[in-house]
Amino acid sequence: MNPLPGGRNTIERIARFGYGARGVVYGVVGALALLAAIGQGGRAGDSKDALRAVLGGPFGAVLVGLIALGLAGFALWRLVEGVTDADRRGNSAKGLAVRGAHLISAAIYFGLAVSAASLSLGLGMSGGDGVHDGTAWLLAKPFGRWLVALVGLGVIGGGFGFLGKGVLSKAWRGDVTERLSLDAQARDRWAGPIGRFGYAARGIAFLIIGGFLVAAAWHQRSSDAKGLTEAFALLRAQPYGWILLALVGAGHAAFGAFGLIQARYRHIDAPNIDRVDDAAGAAVRALT
């Protein structure tokens, strides 16, 4: 195989580093939830709690700094995917929806990268509670209640999409391993099961978080909007909740492991940097 041109090769390396960093974060999220479920650790938390846990370990500031760089790289890759259609999603309604979700994901992971960088530099966790603050901001706008409800329904839709990949991936949405450069045996034996378990767990979390947002819209209270930490707490409060939390926590750890698999084996059709610059310039000209 001929080597990629320099620009494409750079973007591919950034993307792989990003998948790896995201995988580490969710691996820690899942491990913390699993430990909390079996009574061997603190509370189950979200990605920011995972970063704090890494910071408390050996070489914590260095590791969190590397994660920050990786998350920024992942945000850049999501931006590239959304703007240039690097994965060939097309301009159908479904393709545009996926590309739009990538742009939203880019903003989310860039914010998490900033928080990680701030933490690694000893400045504390930057920003407030993103879910509560964002919901309060939307509720204060005209038609804010409906905007929050729309966001909640979108998150619920994303949850069903994750479940579709996890539970029904072969029968309905296509295999989660379709973009991995692995042979069929490896896909069936370990990559596929890990990926499907991880996506299913993320789907459950999204459904709960989306439900929180819809409740916030219904009651017009930003305090009703909750994130992953509260989603874990809700699972733990159910009958046999420790089992539910353990399963969903293990699933998040699997999602993290699948991120590491993607970092190594995902097919990344990275555009040349010149193409990215041209697309970004066209977007700026369209806005101005």
Side-chain angles (χ1 to χ4, degrees):
M1 180 180 296
N2 293 327
L4 291 171
R8 295 182 63 189
N9 194 46
T10 298
I11 293 179
E12 179 179 353
R13 288 177 179 174
I14 289 172
R16 294 194 186 283
F17 187 28
Y19 277 111
R22 186 183 70 157
V24 169
V25 170
Y26 281 106
V28 175
V29 167
L32 292 176
L34 186 57
L35 289 172
I38 62 178
Q40 297 298 315
R43 69 168 189 162
D46 58 13
S47 53
K48 291 185 177 181
D49 292 309
L51 291 173
R52 293 187 185 96
V54 174
L55 184 69
F59 307 104
V62 174
L63 293 176
V64 173
L66 290 173
I67 290 172
L69 290 174
L71 293 173
F74 187 74
L76 175 62
W77 170 239
R78 282 299 196 222
L79 179 63
V80 169
E81 284 183 299
V83 172
T84 70
D85 194 21
D87 281 337
R88 306 294 190 271
R89 303 285 183 178
N91 293 320
S92 65
K94 178 182 175 181
L96 291 174
V98 172
R99 291 170 65 184
H102 285 332
L103 294 177
I104 295 172
S105 176
I108 292 172
Y109 281 104
F110 179 75
L112 185 59
V114 171
S115 295
S118 178
L119 194 64
S120 71
L121 294 172
L123 302 177
M125 188 67 73
S126 64
D129 190 316
V131 177
H132 291 168
D133 294 346
T135 303
W137 182 80
L138 279 178
L139 285 175
K141 302 299 179 184
F143 306 104
R145 179 180 188 178
W146 303 105
L147 292 174
V148 173
L150 186 62
V151 172
L153 292 174
V155 173
I156 290 172
F160 280 118
F162 277 126
L163 282 173
K165 285 186 175 182
V167 179
L168 303 171
S169 61
K170 288 188 175 180
W172 179 38
R173 301 272 307 206
D175 198 338
V176 297
T177 63
E178 63 184 352
R179 297 184 186 276
L180 298 182
S181 299
L182 288 170
D183 58 43
Q185 185 178 17
R187 293 183 183 191
D188 292 339
R189 179 170 295 179
W190 52 272
I194 291 172
R196 285 190 287 274
F197 185 28
Y199 275 106
R202 288 293 287 160
I204 292 171
F206 268 52
L207 290 178
I208 296 172
I209 294 169
F212 286 148
L213 287 167
V214 171
W218 180 265
H219 298 292
Q220 299 189 63
R221 290 196 304 256
S222 62
S223 59
D224 287 343
K226 304 178 188 300
L228 183 59
T229 300
E230 292 83 3
F232 283 147
L234 180 65
L235 289 171
R236 186 66 179 87
Q238 305 307 307
Y240 301 101
W242 74 271
I243 297 177
L244 296 175
L245 179 58
L247 286 172
V248 175
H252 277 73
F255 187 76
F258 192 68
L260 298 179
I261 293 171
Q262 289 174 303
R264 173 64 179 85
Y265 295 107
R266 192 185 194 278
H267 174 70
I268 296 175
D269 189 10
N272 192 283
I273 287 179
D274 292 338
R275 181 184 166 197
V276 177
D277 290 340
D278 291 342
V284 170
R285 288 193 296 273
L287 291 174
T288 57

